[in-house]
Structure formats: structure tokens, C-alpha cells
């Protein structure tokens, strides 16, 4: 039996809330009921990342915001871990200029009376007694709410909770899948991972693997993941490299690059900018750029990695030579003369710092650079 600081037995709670469906041109953008049904087959322990006894509440088809408020208040009073999942259509009370989660039957003229004010979520969760709190969002913003989100640059969220999710823009036409991509990836990762990943990792995996519409608002965004990552115990982190490589091999280069960048930021904050771990992730991004055919970026990333390794390793170390080889190969693939000319001097400087390198490689590189420099005039 686990006891909290007030002497109460800990008990967890999972609250799954389905708002109104979002439909555009008869195509479903998000089907909250389908998302709840898919999540419902997962055990509460997996959703909560906790083995304490837990209750699960499904709220689907509610029409009265006060009903949702009471369920939210009950869940927030739980002394143990809490997960709140919300899916549906985000809309705006145009008179009060407040964001709302549309409920069943909500129309543009009835938002104030039939939808859940978004700030109620923060108010209730902010009063939680104890226990970790996570909020997962899979939302679509309608045409009234989207400009407000663009103005904010984010979706206001409870400061006392971990908040992860996506808000899809209104122009998204929808697809054939009933369960939305982001929620589906959360479920898939929970099912296939031998150990339950931390919520941060689930979010990063889901964003990287889901085919999100352009302009989707991601919470937290890639640039914010590193700050959150500092709070995650290292033993809770699963190796993301096979997943990233699979994305790149499947042609999903931007998703692979975004996920790799998020993990690199995590490593930078955890181990430091000059750590071997950080350099390794820079090399992963270099190879992803090569796979995507972005040889300019790949060349610069490999050169930087080589110089960084030289600061901490001998010039004949295998990792140093591998970085130099990667930089040289990618540089030879540059077809744009200006790009090759710009990167050439730094590459030559790296190669000259490696006494064990085959002299012919340095000579050929310098000869090509001389030709490029001569063509400038």
C-alpha cells in the first residue's frame, strides 16, 4: 500500500474526455469517441505509468459543461497520479474571447452555454493536493479558435501539470483513419515498448511517427522538449535511434530530423554541450541529413563533430576518423560550387589535423578546393 504525505492511501485516476467531433467538408478531422474507445483497451497502469490502484472515467457525449466540471473536479481531488485526456474541437466564445472545448451539440451561437471553458482545466488541476499530473491533448481548432492560438503561439496550459499533445489547424481535411494519428502513436508505443516510456518520450515518439498536418501546434514544441527532459530520470528513457532510423529509411526525413533534434536537445541539457553523447547525436543528425540528400548540412555537421571530438580524443581515434570520412564524402557530393567552396577550407583544416589520414585524401581535397577558388574569378 502506498501512502501520500497526508497519510492517505494513494489512488490514481484516468479521466478520458471526448468533446465534439471536428468535421470539415464531410471529412472527420478528429473523432473523439473513437480515440476514447482505443485508449479504453489499455490498462490504467500503462496510461498512468503507475501501479497504484486506479479508477477510470469515460466522459463521451456530454452536453453540459457543468457535468464535465464535476468529473474534472473529482479526478483532481485524487491523491495519487492523474492522467486527463481530452480530444475534440477547440472553439472560441466570440463575445468573451475565451477558448472552449466544444461538447456534443455546441454551435457557434451556444459556446458560452454548451462548451467547456478552457481555463476551467487549469483552475481545477491547479488545486490538486498531491500526485503527478499529466494532460494529453488531441484537438482540432476551428476557424474561430485558430487565430487566437496563432496570437498566443501556444495553447494556455495548467502550469502544475505535464502537458503533451497536438492542436491541428482548421484547414486540415481529415483522413480515413478513425483514431487520430497522434493518439494512435501513443497507443502503439505503449503496446510495443517492453518498458513503459516516460510521457516525454511517448510524446516525442508520437510527434515523430504521426503524419501531422503542416502548421500543427505541438505541445511542448521541439524547442521546449529539452527543458522538460531534465525532469525525466535517465533510467526511464528507451533508445529512440532505431525508430528514427526507420523513419528516415522510409523517406520520412523531416519527421526523423525533428525527433533527432528533440533528443539532441535532451542530451545537451542532460550531459552538456561538449559531452560524447551530445557529439554522437550531432553525428546522427549528420547522417540523417546525408540520407535526405542534404549534403550541405551533412558536411557541416560532420566537420563540427570532427573538431569537437579532436578536443577530447586523439587524432587517430576511430570516431575522429569516421567523422572526417563522413565530412569528406558529403563534401564530394556537393554539386553547388559555392557551397563546396564555402565548406572546403574548414574541411581541409580538419583533415590536416589527422596525421594518420591517407595523404592522398588531403591532397585531392586541396586540389578540388584550389579549382573552386580559381573558378570564383
Amino acid at each position: 500500500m502506498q501512502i501520500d504525505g497526508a497519510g492517505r492511501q494513494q489512488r490514481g485516476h484516468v479521466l478520458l474526455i471526448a468533446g465534439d467531433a471536428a468535421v470539415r467538408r464531410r471529412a472527420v478531422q478528429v473523432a473523439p469517441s473513437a480515440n476514447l474507445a482505443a485508449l479504453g483497451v489499455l490498462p490504467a497502469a500503462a496510461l498512468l505509468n503507475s501501479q497504484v490502484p486506479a479508477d477510470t472515467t469515460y466522459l463521451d457525449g456530454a452536453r453540459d459543461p457543468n457535468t464535465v466540471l464535476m468529473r474534472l473536479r473529482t479526478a483532481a481531488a485524487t491523491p495519487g497520479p492523474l492522467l486527463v485526456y481530452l480530444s475534440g474541437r477547440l472553439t472560441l466564445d466570440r463575445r468573451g474571447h475565451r477558448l472552449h472545448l466544444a461538447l456534443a451539440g455546441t454551435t457557434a451561437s451556444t459556446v458560452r452555454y454548451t462548451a467547456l471553458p478552457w481555463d476551467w482545466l487549469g483552475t481545477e488541476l491547479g488545486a490538486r493536493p498531491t500526485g503527478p499530473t499529466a494532460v494529453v491533448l488531441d484537438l482540432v481548432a476551428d476557424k474561430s479558435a485558430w487565430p487566437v492560438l496563432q496570437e498566443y503561439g501556444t495553447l494556455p496550459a495548467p502550469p502544475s501539470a505535464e502537458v503533451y499533445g497536438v492542436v491541428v489547424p482548421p484547414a486540415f481535411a481529415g483522413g480515413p483513419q478513425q483514431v487520430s494519428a497522434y493518439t494512435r502513436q501513443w497507443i502503439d508505443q505503449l503496446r510495443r515498448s517492453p518498458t513503459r516510456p516516460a510521457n516525454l518520450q511517448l510524446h516525442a515518439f508520437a510527434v515523430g511517427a504521426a503524419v501531422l498536418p503542416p502548421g500543427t501546434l505541438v505541445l511542448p514544441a521541439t524547442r521546449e522538449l529539452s527543458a522538460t527532459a531534465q525532469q525525466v530520470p535517465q533510467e526511464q528513457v528507451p533508445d529512440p535511434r532505431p525508430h528514427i532510423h526507420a523513419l528516415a529509411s522510409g523517406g520520412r526525413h523531416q519527421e526523423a530530423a525533428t525527433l533527432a533534434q528533440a533528443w539532441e536537445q535532451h542530451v545537451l541539457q542532460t550531459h552538456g554541450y561538449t559531452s560524447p553523447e551530445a557529439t554522437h547525436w550531432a553525428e546522427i543528425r549528420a547522417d540523417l541529413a546525408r540520407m535526405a540528400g542534404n549534403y550541405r548540412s551533412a558536411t557541416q555537421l560532420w566537420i563540427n563533430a570532427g573538431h569537437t571530438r579532436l578536443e577530447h580524443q586523439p587524432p587517430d581515434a576511430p570516431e575522429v576518423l569516421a567523422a572526417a570520412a563522413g565530412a569528406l564524402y558529403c563534401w564530394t557530393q556537393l554539386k553547388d560550387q559555392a557551397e563546396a567552396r564555402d565548406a572546403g577550407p574548414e574541411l581541409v583544416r580538419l583533415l590536416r589535423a589527422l596525421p594518420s589520414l591517407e595523404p592522398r585524401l588531403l591532397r585531392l581535397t586541396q586540389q578540388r578546393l584550389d579549382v573552386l577558388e580559381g573558378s570564383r574569378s
Side-chain angles (χ1 to χ4, degrees), residues 152-190:
Y152 291 162
T154 186
L155 176 63
S160 58
E162 295 180 41
V163 181
Y164 304 99
V166 294
V167 184
V168 174
F172 174 49
Q177 294 283 353
Q178 278 198 314
V179 179
S180 53
Y182 179 76
T183 295
R184 187 169 65 251
Q185 291 301 328
W186 263 76
I187 294 170
D188 287 349
Q189 290 298 329
L190 284 173

Side-chain angles (χ1 to χ4, degrees), residues 47-96:
L47 292 172
L48 284 174
N49 195 18
S50 173
Q51 295 301 318
V52 302
D55 303 304
T56 301
T57 299
Y58 300 85
L59 204 55
D60 190 1
R63 291 178 174 270
D64 180 5
N66 289 298
T67 299
V68 182
L69 176 62
M70 291 301 102
R71 297 288 190 179
L72 182 60
R73 187 166 294 169
T74 298
T78 301
L82 171 64
L83 173 76
V84 179
Y85 171 88
L86 299 101
S87 181
R89 176 170 60 92
L90 202 62
T91 190
L92 188 74
D93 165 23
R94 296 181 181 178
R95 182 176 174 182

Side-chain angles (χ1 to χ4, degrees), residues 30-371:
V30 64
S33 297
N35 288 345
L36 256 62
L39 284 167
V41 303
L42 296 175
L47 292 172
L48 284 174
N49 195 18
S50 173
Q51 295 301 318
V52 302
D55 303 304
T56 301
T57 299
Y58 300 85
L59 204 55
D60 190 1
R63 291 178 174 270
D64 180 5
N66 289 298
T67 299
V68 182
L69 176 62
M70 291 301 102
R71 297 288 190 179
L72 182 60
R73 187 166 294 169
T74 298
T78 301
L82 171 64
L83 173 76
V84 179
Y85 171 88
L86 299 101
S87 181
R89 176 170 60 92
L90 202 62
T91 190
L92 188 74
D93 165 23
R94 296 181 181 178
R95 182 176 174 182
H97 209 64
R98 297 170 68 193
L99 291 169
H100 288 66
L101 177 69
L103 302 178
T106 296
T107 65
S109 61
T110 65
V111 171
R112 297 179 64 199
Y113 314 103
T114 64
L116 180 75
W118 190 254
D119 52 18
W120 285 9
L121 182 67
T123 300
E124 297 304 320
L125 296 184
R128 290 247 309 140
T130 57
T133 306
V135 178
V136 180
L137 310 173
D138 197 334
L139 304 170
V140 172
D142 66 16
K143 290 182 179 179
S144 66
W146 188 248
V148 175
L149 295 180
Q150 295 293 94
E151 177 184 340
Y152 291 162
T154 186
L155 176 63
S160 58
E162 295 180 41
V163 181
Y164 304 99
V166 294
V167 184
V168 174
F172 174 49
Q177 294 283 353
Q178 278 198 314
V179 179
S180 53
Y182 179 76
T183 295
R184 187 169 65 251
Q185 291 301 328
W186 263 76
I187 294 170
D188 287 349
Q189 290 298 329
L190 284 173
R191 281 175 171 168
R192 72 171 64 136
S193 299
T195 57
R196 204 277 196 188
N199 290 333
L200 170 68
Q201 279 68 51
L202 283 173
H203 170 70
F205 279 136
V207 170
V211 182
L212 298 174
T216 295
L217 182 65
V218 178
L219 307 164
T222 299
R223 64 182 179 274
E224 299 169 313
L225 282 175
S226 58
T228 310
Q230 297 179 67
Q231 306 169 11
V232 180
Q234 189 62 29
E235 60 270 17
Q236 294 184 20
V237 181
D239 186 358
R241 289 172 295 181
H243 179 67
I244 292 172
H245 187 269
L247 287 173
S249 298
R252 297 163 66 176
H253 299 293
Q254 185 57 51
E255 296 165 51
T258 299
L259 190 52
Q261 186 177 22
W263 277 88
E264 183 184 28
Q265 290 300 313
H266 176 188
V267 169
L268 289 173
Q269 294 293 333
T270 304
H271 298 282
Y273 281 73
T274 60
S275 65
E277 293 85 356
T279 305
H280 175 63
W281 275 96
E283 292 168 342
I284 289 175
R285 290 205 299 120
D287 204 44
L288 291 174
R290 176 194 62 80
M291 294 175 71
N294 184 358
Y295 292 108
R296 178 182 184 181
S297 178
T299 299
Q300 192 60 57
L301 285 167
W302 277 121
I303 290 174
N304 293 344
H307 284 308
T308 301
R309 287 199 176 276
L310 274 174
E311 295 175 3
H312 305 280
Q313 295 177 265
D316 59 347
E319 295 85 357
V320 175
L321 296 175
L328 180 57
Y329 170 78
C330 293
W331 186 71
T332 62
Q333 301 305 304
L334 288 172
K335 306 304 180 186
D336 185 281
Q337 290 191 354
E339 292 179 356
R341 184 168 55 241
D342 290 343
E346 201 170 354
L347 174 61
V348 168
R349 184 165 68 88
L350 173 63
L351 299 182
R352 282 178 176 165
L354 309 178
S356 62
L357 187 74
E358 167 62 45
R360 183 178 60 88
L361 295 178
L362 175 58
R363 184 173 64 253
L364 292 174
T365 302
Q366 184 64 64
Q367 287 176 354
R368 185 191 182 204
L369 180 58
D370 291 342
V371 172

